[in-house]
Amino acid sequence: MEQVTLHVSGMSCGHCVKAVEGSVGELQGVKKVAVKLDKGLVDVEFDANVVSLSKIKEAIDDQGYDVE
């Protein structure tokens, strides 16, 4: 398992948290996802053999947020 912390801008409320955690959490290979709204961070634990980091970033981007 790999763990990464992504800087995500544009998140401002509980809906944003649910949107990001839901979209990333649905990906095969993602074990855990946690949004730290006050810091603009998203912690993701995932199996790199199943899902790529770029796919995770794409899922966040598809929800309308910018991954830095």
Side-chain angles (χ1 to χ4, degrees):
M1 286 287 166
E2 288 192 36
Q3 180 143 0
V4 66
T5 299
L6 302 171
H7 294 271
V8 179
S9 58
M11 300 184 299
S12 61
C13 63
H15 176 268
C16 302
V17 172
K18 287 183 181 181
V20 171
E21 288 182 348
S23 64
V24 174
E26 288 177 354
L27 296 173
Q28 288 286 88
V30 173
K31 182 178 180 189
K32 188 165 53 173
V33 57
V35 172
K36 295 178 182 168
L37 186 60
D38 58 332
K39 296 182 180 178
L41 301 175
V42 179
D43 294 327
V44 185
E45 188 175 333
F46 65 101
D47 184 344
N49 294 318
V50 179
V51 64
S52 66
L53 181 57
S54 62
K55 195 75 171 164
I56 292 168
K57 289 179 177 180
E58 184 179 309
I60 295 170
D61 188 60
D62 286 349
Q63 293 301 312
Y65 307 104
D66 295 319
V67 181
E68 299 169 19

